[in-house]
């Protein structure tokens, strides 16, 4: 090879390896195996050794990333370093508990709950009170000896005090606090270096740096959670960690011993929220059987211990490609843009679509078809797009142009001033809207016709039997029976359900009409305020606004709805069919709660929440949806969230239980 060729080769190899490092550490998406990486690195090292004049000053041979590297001695684990079985569901936790109790043949097991810190597993060996070795998990059988690097972590105790065993192993997690991570990224950005994707990746990357002085600059931390020894002097896991703490070892914080699976659930519930206030990332809770004797009895499967399980919180982020944006038309005509994604695994399911909410959201994210996007699935079921990886945007990408016409019925879309959502106003003939209207009308909180589900609503519409709500009351048994896959029983149930719905109270009928902005509460207020449908249809905007809690937006929507002759005719038909269009004046049980706002939370022993709500209203009180400065009482039932209680305490709101409430109104 000629010298310019060698130089080019060194440059190309260096750049290629840098790119692999970036993919490995920053994107956490390596495209070659550790072994392939090592081969390339060795090739570069050999060339640089022969031609040091061409070596780059920031050559990847100087700061190395990768898996099991030669530079770190690979050492076998004394005991296999296993991972944990994990779950996202409380049901599976119940099954775990059942399995454990059954195998042990006992009724109640003591568990320890610990936060599951998102870092990388490490095993420390202490002999005669001295840290002698630190090994990464590697493949579980053997790992990298990273002792020198681990010694630079300030929270790793190198010299123990107190009454420690002569020789033991303790395992835990190395991680980085979010603050330290942000500081590090700011520094890197200022120096024009690439920034890291998340604290976990930096933590794991940092341990593989060959220069311990460099590692020392990284703000790493440790937590230790698993004591192991050939002569284990302790009877429980919690005792072993307490003792380790007394020797100066940094053990898991926030742990709790639980005497039942219910207490475990309480711990999960608390930390699912509280974890956001911690300065570091936790992705779940590890639940361990506390007794070492029980642990031994339960043993291991081929891969994981039977005495522990990880419960993962419902959030996970993944990257995917935005293949396209489609649009959904909702029951109210609201248009929702939907991201069509390259399928990606998230929380154990395959995600292909995510909501983009509205045109503003698309603009805010500046998301374009073809982009690499970050997808997140949190507590809510529908995944969302939380960001765009701009570094991967194609040069020829163009901003997304929002549709102007309804994808279902082609009428022109409208967006009212100050509103984020576009609407299709063709509410009567746009199929999803018309079907949605039927679904809403028969829904549990409206006419509660349980014999008509969404599929049946769609069939009735598609077959032309129900095009508007009043048509429901003209349905005949024979018509329903003539539908595909409908038997006599189904047909009979359906007709009976429709008939029974005629006795639903006026506010439900009003709510069922599906007038924009008229929810359950508003329907109640309107029914109570004006008494019957004729008064409501005749009311002007001003008259409507005069009613408690009715604003301009609702009033306008009401007037607009009833200005349509078709709607008025529909009402007349339903009246003729015998539906109730007059409100029953609510009986008042006094005004003991007049002027008071009460918030209800939790589950009650004697009454349902709806009943308590009704009692409050019957006594002249108001029911608030969340605890605020205006709340007078928080009626607290079982399973009330700790954050609500805390807020109420902070704001000085009176917290009362069901019995106190009942005495108050009696
Ligand atoms: S116990 C055999 N406890 O989560 C028992 N692991 O998904 C092994 N982790 O491999 C682990 N916090 O890297 C345990 N308090 C904790 C933990 C924890 C984080 C990590 C650990 C483990 C992985 C399993």
């Amino acid at each position: 090879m000629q010298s310019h060729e060698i130089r080019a080769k060194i440059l190309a190899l260096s750049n290629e390896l840098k790119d692999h490092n970036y993919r490995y550490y920053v994107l956490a998406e390596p495209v070659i195996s550790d072994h392939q990486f090592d081969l390339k690195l060795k090739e570069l090292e050999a060339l640089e050794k022969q031609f040091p004049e061409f070596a780059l000053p920031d050559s990847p041979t100087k700061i190395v990333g990768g898996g099991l590297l030669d530079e770190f001695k690979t050492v076998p684990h004394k005991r296999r370093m296993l991972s944990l079985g994990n779950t996202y569901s409380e049901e599976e936790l119940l099954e775990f508990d059942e399995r454990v109790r059954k195998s042990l043949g006992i009724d109640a097991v003591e568990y320890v709950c610990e936060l599951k810190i998102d870092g990388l597993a490490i095993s420390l060996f202490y002999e005669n009170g001295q840290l002698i070795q630190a090994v990464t998990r590697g493949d579980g059988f053997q790992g990298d000896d990273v002792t020198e690097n681990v010694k630079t972590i300030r929270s790793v105790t190198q010299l123990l005090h107190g009454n420690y065993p002569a020789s033991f192993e303790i395992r835990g997690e190395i991680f980085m606090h979010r603050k330290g991570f942000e500081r590090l990224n700011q520094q890197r950005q200022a120096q024009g270096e690439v920034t890291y994707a998340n604290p976990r990746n930096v933590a794991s990357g940092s341990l593989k740096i060959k220069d311990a002085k460099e590692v020392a600059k990284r703000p790493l931390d440790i937590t230790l959670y698993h004591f192991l020894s050939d002569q284990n002097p302790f009877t429980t896991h919690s005792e072993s960690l307490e003792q380790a703490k007394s020797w100066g070892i940094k053990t898991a914080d926030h742990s709790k011993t639980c005497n039942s699976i219910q207490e475990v659930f309480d711990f999960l519930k608390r930390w699912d929220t509280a974890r956001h206030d911690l300065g570091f990332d936790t992705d779940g809770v590890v639940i361990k059987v506390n007794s070492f004797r029980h642990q031994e009895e339960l043993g291991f499967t081929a891969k994981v211990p039977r005495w522990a399980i990880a419960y993962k919180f419902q959030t996970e982020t993944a990257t995917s490609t935005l293949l396209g944006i489609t649009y959904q038309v909702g029951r109210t005509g609201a248009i929702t843009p939907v991201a069509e994604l390259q399928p990606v695994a998230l929380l154990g399911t395959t995600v292909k679509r995510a909501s983009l909410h509205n045109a503003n959201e698309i603009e805010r994210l500046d998301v374009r078809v073809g982009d690499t996007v970050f997808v997140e699935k949190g507590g809510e079921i529908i995944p969302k797009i939380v960001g765009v990886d701009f570094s991967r945007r194609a040069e020829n990408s163009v901003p997304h142009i929002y549709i102007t016409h309804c994808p279902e019925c082609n009428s022109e879309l409208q967006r009212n001033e100050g509103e984020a959502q576009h609407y299709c106003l063709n509410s009567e003939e746009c199929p999803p809207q018309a079907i949605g209207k039927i679904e809403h009308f028969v829904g549990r909180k409206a006419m509660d016709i349980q014999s008509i589900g969404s599929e049946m609503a769609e069939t009735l519409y598609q077959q032309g039997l129900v095009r508007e709500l009043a048509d429901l009351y003209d349905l005949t048994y024979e018509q329903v029976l003539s539908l595909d896959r409908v038997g006599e029983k189904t047909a009979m149930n359906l007709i009976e359900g429709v008939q029974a719905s005629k006795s639903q109270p006026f506010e439900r009928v009003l709510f069922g009409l599906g007038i924009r902005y008229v929810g359950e509460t508003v329907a109640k207020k309107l029914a109570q305020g004006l008494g019957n449908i004729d008064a409501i249809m005749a009311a002007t905007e001003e008259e409507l606004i005069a009613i408690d809690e009715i604003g301009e937006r609702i009033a306008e929507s009401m007037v607009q709805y009833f200005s349509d002759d078709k709607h008025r005719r529909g009402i007349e038909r339903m009246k003729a069919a015998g539906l109730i269009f007059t409100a029953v004046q609510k009986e008042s049980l006094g005004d003991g709660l007049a002027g008071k706002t009460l918030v209800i939370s939790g589950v009650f022993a004697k009454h349902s929440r709806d009943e308590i709500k009704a009692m409050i209203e019957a006594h002249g009180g108001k029911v608030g949806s969340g605890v605020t400065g205006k709340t007078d009482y928080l009626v607290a039932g079982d399973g009330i969230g700790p954050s609500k209680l805390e807020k109420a305490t902070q704001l000085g709101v009176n917290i009362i239980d069901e019995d106190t409430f009942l005495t108050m109104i009696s």
Side-chain angles (χ1 to χ4, degrees), residues 279-326:
F280 49 85
D281 291 341
T282 42
D283 56 349
V285 169
V286 180
I287 298 118
K288 300 174 180 172
V289 170
N290 198 14
S291 152
F292 279 138
R293 191 169 50 80
H294 286 162
Q295 287 192 3
E296 220 166 285
E297 225 173 287
L298 290 161
F300 297 83
T301 70
K303 278 198 245 148
V304 295
R306 287 201 185 88
W307 45 265
I309 192 166
Y311 174 87
K312 293 245 207 148
F313 294 128
Q314 298 276 334
T315 314
E316 203 170 78
T317 315
T319 51
S320 176
T321 309
L322 181 65
L323 302 176
I325 295 177
T326 56

Side-chain angles (χ1 to χ4, degrees), residues 29-152:
E29 280 173 3
V31 288
I32 61 171
S33 70
D34 290 351
H35 182 65
Q36 287 171 314
F37 182 94
D38 290 347
L39 290 180
K40 285 187 195 290
L41 193 75
K42 286 215 180 82
E43 188 184 353
L44 179 62
E45 267 171 352
L47 281 170
E48 285 180 348
K49 205 166 165 191
Q50 221 182 332
F51 307 96
E53 67 273 28
F54 297 143
L56 300 183
D58 63 343
S59 165
T61 57
K62 301 205 174 94
I63 293 174
V64 193
L68 299 170
L69 290 170
D70 283 354
E71 281 70 25
F72 295 108
K73 219 168 52 209
T74 301
V75 291
H77 288 298
K78 208 165 161 201
R79 306 166 187 85
R80 247 189 95 179
M81 212 162 157
L82 292 166
S83 174
L84 290 172
N86 63 40
T87 176
Y88 295 93
S89 89
E90 296 197 347
E91 242 159 83
E92 282 178 22
L93 265 190
L94 280 177
E95 285 164 23
F96 166 78
D97 173 53
E98 225 161 81
R99 261 197 320 272
V100 166
R101 285 185 294 118
K102 206 166 156 202
S103 308
L104 296 173
I106 53 175
D107 287 339
V109 186
E110 190 171 81
Y111 293 109
V112 174
C113 288
E114 291 165 0
L115 296 183
K116 185 172 174 324
I117 296 184
D118 201 12
L120 80 149
I122 192 86
S123 157
L124 305 183
F125 279 92
Y126 283 90
E127 229 146 78
N128 300 319
Q130 254 190 320
L131 173 67
I132 56 152
Q133 199 177 44
V135 186
T136 62
R137 171 165 31 221
D139 59 6
F141 293 98
Q142 50 181 20
D144 287 333
D145 181 333
V146 289
T147 314
E148 291 317 305
N149 283 350
V150 168
K151 279 184 176 170
T152 68

Side-chain angles (χ1 to χ4, degrees), residues 518-536:
V518 180
E520 238 185 317
T521 321
V522 170
K524 263 190 212 158
K525 296 278 172 198
L526 287 166
Q528 287 293 321
L530 291 169
N532 62 59
I533 195 75
D534 295 321
I536 290 176

